Amino acid sequence: MPAQNSYLRWVSEIATLTQPSELVWCDGSDAEWNALASMMVEQGSLIRLNEAKRPNSFLARSHPSDVARVEDRTYICSERAEDAGPTNNWANPSEMRRTLDEKFSGSMRGRVMYVVPFAMGPVDSPQARFGIEITDSPFVVLNMHLMNRVTRDVLSRIDDGADWVPAVHSVGSPLIDSSGATLADTSWPCNDEKYIVHFPETREIWSFGSGYGGNALLGKKCMSLRIGSVLGRDEGWLAEHMLLMKLTSPAGKNYHVAAAFPSACGKTNLAMLRPTLPGWKVATIGDDIAWISKGPNGRLRAINPEAGFFGVAPGTSLKTNAAAIETMRANTIFTNVALTEDGDVWWEGLTNVPPANLTDWRGEAWNAASATPAAHPNSRFTVSLAQCPTIDPDWNSPQGVELDAILFGGRRATNVPLVVESRDWNHGVFMGATISSEQTAAAEGEVGALRRDPFAMLPFCGYNMGDYWQHWLAIGASTAPELLPRVFQVNWFRKGQDGKFLWPGFGENTRVLEWIVARLEGEVASVDSAIGGLPMISEFNVAGLGLSPEVMGQLFDVDLDRWLDEAELTEEYFARFGDHLPAEMSAQLDGLRMRLGRGERAA
Ligand code: GTP
Ligand code: SPV
Ligand code: MN
């Protein structure tokens, strides 16, 4: 890791390599925000939204080829290929350094190089980590103002000896070519060739060619998850793709819940849940990333390292997520949503009927008869956590919150019941390790294809996934069982024969949380099934939902043959990890098969 003060040398090395025309040290101030936003509006790369309807808010339209994370261009360059493991793209670090040298050489010519010091987590938290992102994208700087704690304080901490992660980002579109000729700028500069690169041993990040989301906001997936997971492995903590929330029961007792769902599978919705059952309250702490470590009393504590939301826009409405709608009332950056006639935003699902005379995310006129969606399926809003009406007053607490329950979920039309409780921690790790989910638009690839997404970390684990499972097992083994959070699997997405969701979801997910709390309090029994503890249907609160006994049966059905098929696929999947597969994972699979063979299912 770079030593004290070395950031000055690093900044000048990167400037020498990338040859920007100007260098700006950022401070995260409002003045900086206003100046950058106005400049981008003037250049035509941001559209200022109607001040009366959406104050201090902007729309960006990306290049149509730069709309999501690019997993096949994302690399983990550990010294040894096996330390990246079978689920990551590995590249030889010295070869990759040569490639990056070439790509970044002169890549900022004619552009401003911004140096953005940031903290992940409250600056004073023992769990906080510092980083410096160098970028040639003012759009990235604006987004980082909302997503991270951008402050010069970080530089003083580094001066005092704190560790930090260097992160270099270039859109890869210089404005002066190698012969010195000036090139025209575009409203969303990027490069056809993209590299999102991590060096886990030296804890460095290099990102080239994309300006979108997690590809470019390097504090997010690159630092807080890929590099974060490596730091966690080495230092005994966990960096997770999880929402974080406080749930208050009608009895006034608080429970902290973390939940890992794959990208675009409902973390933001659950984090801002509006309970439909009287007396329940939800307070939001985070919607994407949790850093979990053992506190002085042995219990697991979590912080949200981020300071903002980068949420999926389509499907977000007053009905599905009123708190999100309220959060983005002002001071918000929208990317790839549609623009209304009066300078506001729209996306599929915001209202049933689209307003007339929309402009789609590509800047083309759009109406309800158009063949393509008005907003890109991975269009997003960037906004500060502080604006969320349901934000937990403790979201900034340096100590974080003690976890009572961990949920694993995914999008599964079949097989996986609405909720199942793990038998114990190790079984919970097995549940996390075997998550499959239908792919969403959050990354390039075939939407809908079922894929393994262990711990919802498939695209985000910075080291061998088998070793990561071992790390989870070790955290459990070193903690008294009664201090550990209880682990559950949930699935809001099971479908009936008609192809429709069986479960109303959203606010009604309170009912699942109610059952989970009743389990934590020992107030209800669970029914032992081959895959874990299921609710007794008679004790699961669906009052007023009008679900037929048949639907209830389907929601909780455990089909033994289909689960034996799943077990077969799990065995094949596990085999990919070779020596890195913890023996405990094989033992868990054997246990599952034995219980399935005995025909254990819900009563
Ligand atoms: P990333 O930000 O990509 O990590 O994802 P996220 O998990 O925060 O995604 P988000 O909460 O934005 O997921 C949104 C998608 O989940 C939309 O398609 C929603 O309609 C869907 N969704 C969320 N909750 C529910 C639910 O309870 N039932 C159903 N059927 N869909 C849901
Ligand atoms: C995800 O894809 O899981 C996100 C969005 O949260 S991005 O930050 O672009 O990765
Ligand atoms: Mn995410």
Side-chain angles (χ1 to χ4, degrees):
M1 213 162 314
Q4 183 176 350
N5 252 330
S6 61
Y7 63 85
L8 290 177
R9 198 181 61 222
W10 172 72
V11 167
S12 93
E13 275 168 15
I14 302 301
T16 305
L17 175 66
T18 59
Q19 300 162 36
S21 59
E22 201 186 323
L23 192 156
V24 170
W25 289 81
C26 295
D27 60 10
S29 65
D30 287 350
E32 183 172 282
W33 165 279
N34 290 333
L36 287 175
S38 301
M39 177 194 81
M40 290 191 69
V41 169
E42 215 158 283
Q43 290 173 344
S45 36
L46 276 186
I47 295 168
R48 191 184 293 275
L49 297 172
N50 184 328
E51 273 296 322
K53 301 196 153 209
R54 201 74 66 171
N56 193 29
S57 298
F58 303 88
L59 168 64
R61 294 186 185 128
S62 81
H63 190 277
S65 68
D66 191 21
V67 293
R69 281 183 295 101
V70 282
E71 294 180 2
D72 59 339
R73 306 299 305 165
T74 300
Y75 297 90
I76 303 295
C77 298
S78 42
E79 293 297 331
R80 302 187 317 162
E82 70 172 289
D83 289 332
T87 58
N88 279 313
N89 297 313
W90 179 79
N92 176 297
S94 30
E95 276 169 33
M96 182 56 85
R97 282 187 194 281
R98 274 197 292 279
T99 305
L100 292 175
D101 248 13
E102 202 180 294
K103 293 288 154 200
F104 279 87
S105 171
S107 75
M108 298 189 187
R109 262 189 228 133
R111 293 194 185 277
V112 179
M113 172 173 131
Y114 300 93
V115 182
V116 190
F118 63 94
M120 302 310 300
V123 178
D124 290 316
S125 169
Q127 282 173 270
R129 291 285 169 162
F130 306 127
I132 304 178
E133 177 165 347
I134 286 178
T135 177
D136 56 6
S137 163
F139 183 64
V140 163
V141 180
L142 285 178
N143 278 273
M144 287 188 71
H145 270 227
L146 302 173
M147 293 305 299
N148 312 108
R149 294 162 176 90
V150 175
T151 162
R152 293 253 177 102
D153 289 353
V154 162
L155 298 177
S156 352
R157 302 295 170 117
I158 297 174
D159 284 335
D160 292 343
D163 285 341
W164 59 286
V165 172
V168 189
H169 170 252
S170 173
V171 293
S173 180
L175 293 173
I176 300 172
D177 72 12
S178 48
S179 67
T182 303
L183 307 168
D185 204 356
T186 64
S187 59
W188 185 280
C190 59
N191 193 299
D192 284 344
E193 214 179 338
K194 297 176 175 46
Y195 287 90
I196 320 295
V197 181
H198 310 74
F199 296 97
E201 281 95 0
T202 49
R203 286 134 194 212
E204 282 166 83
I205 302 162
W206 292 77
S207 165
F208 180 88
S210 169
Y212 205 89
N215 295 337
L217 310 175
L218 304 185
K220 200 171 176 50
K221 307 303 188 174
C222 298
M223 173 164 165
S224 293
L225 290 177
R226 299 195 190 96
I227 297 295
S229 60
V230 169
L231 295 171
R233 173 196 65 189
D234 295 347
E235 300 168 5
W237 53 278
L238 300 164
E240 300 301 327
H241 191 203
M242 291 180 177
L243 70 89
L244 206 51
M245 59 124 102
K246 178 171 84 188
L247 180 66
T248 308
S249 70
K253 191 162 168 193
N254 292 331
Y255 305 86
H256 292 104
V257 179
F261 306 160
S263 303
C265 289
K267 289 186 298 299
T268 307
N269 290 85
L270 189 60
M272 299 184 192
L273 177 101
R274 183 166 55 175
T276 51
L277 297 177
W280 290 88
K281 277 194 277 212
V282 163
T284 310
I285 303 170
D287 81 326
D288 199 45
I289 299 177
W291 282 355
I292 305 172
S293 61
K294 211 177 285 183
N297 63 357
R299 295 199 65 200
L300 298 189
R301 307 191 71 98
I303 63 162
N304 172 12
E306 301 193 278
F309 303 109
F310 181 60
V312 178
T316 309
S317 69
L318 279 173
K319 252 193 176 144
T320 59
N321 194 342
I325 296 289
E326 169 67 8
T327 306
M328 54 178 111
R329 67 196 176 271
N331 314 313
T332 304
I333 299 173
F334 297 89
T335 311
N336 288 346
V337 302
L339 181 68
T340 66
E341 222 175 355
D342 57 356
D344 202 4
V345 288
W346 190 83
W347 47 80
E348 277 67 21
L350 178 61
T351 54
N352 283 335
V353 181
N357 301 322
L358 280 178
T359 306
D360 75 7
W361 68 278
R362 292 184 176 90
E364 312 276 338
W366 188 96
N367 64 48
S370 299
T372 50
H376 186 278
N378 191 41
S379 54
R380 299 216 171 215
F381 56 87
T382 318
V383 65
S384 162
L385 278 169
Q387 277 185 209
C388 179
T390 56
I391 195 73
D392 186 280
D394 286 337
W395 76 276
N396 240 328
S397 148
Q399 278 70 45
V401 297
E402 282 183 3
L403 287 182
D404 299 291
I406 292 176
L407 277 45
F408 292 116
R411 242 172 226 271
R412 289 300 301 268
T414 60
N415 293 21
V416 180
L418 182 61
V419 56
V420 198
E421 183 177 358
S422 69
R423 301 157 66 87
D424 55 24
W425 180 264
N426 286 2
H427 183 231
V429 174
F430 177 76
M431 277 180 169
T434 51
I435 294 180
S436 303
S437 191
E438 291 144 27
Q439 189 161 340
T440 64
E444 301 281 343
E446 188 199 338
V447 172
L450 191 65
R451 69 168 185 177
R452 296 272 164 177
D453 193 347
F455 286 75
M457 283 287 279
L458 176 73
F460 308 123
C461 184
Y463 62 103
N464 190 304
M465 185 68 80
D467 297 346
Y468 165 89
W469 297 337
Q470 183 57 50
H471 183 51
W472 265 81
L473 293 167
I475 295 269
S478 65
T479 310
E482 68 277 9
L483 297 179
L484 286 167
R486 299 260 284 273
V487 182
F488 299 81
Q489 179 170 23
V490 298
N491 177 26
W492 319 141
F493 299 92
R494 202 160 183 171
K495 289 180 176 170
Q497 234 101 66
D498 58 1
K500 294 206 176 114
F501 293 120
L502 291 165
W503 179 246
F506 303 100
E508 302 298 358
N509 294 331
T510 318
R511 296 163 189 272
V512 173
L513 297 173
E514 181 187 48
W515 184 76
I516 288 171
V517 163
R519 286 295 299 152
L520 298 180
E521 293 296 339
E523 292 165 0
V524 293
S526 68
V527 185
D528 232 357
S529 85
I531 62 168
L534 296 171
M536 209 109 75
I537 288 188
S538 59
E539 285 184 347
F540 191 81
N541 178 5
V542 286
L545 288 185
L547 298 179
S548 66
E550 196 201 347
V551 165
M552 289 304 289
Q554 286 174 35
L555 273 171
F556 290 104
D557 182 46
V558 178
D559 183 311
L560 298 178
D561 291 330
R562 279 169 166 253
W563 273 94
L564 280 166
D565 293 345
E566 292 244 348
E568 194 77 33
L569 295 173
T570 298
E571 182 174 346
E572 281 169 31
Y573 185 62
F574 278 179
R576 296 179 58 194
F577 297 89
D579 290 352
H580 289 265
L581 180 73
E584 175 62 20
M585 289 292 98
S586 305
Q588 286 288 336
L589 180 58
D590 290 345
L592 171 67
R593 279 182 157 146
M594 203 178 66
R595 297 190 299 273
L596 288 166
R598 281 206 306 260
E600 279 178 26
R601 69 169 84 214

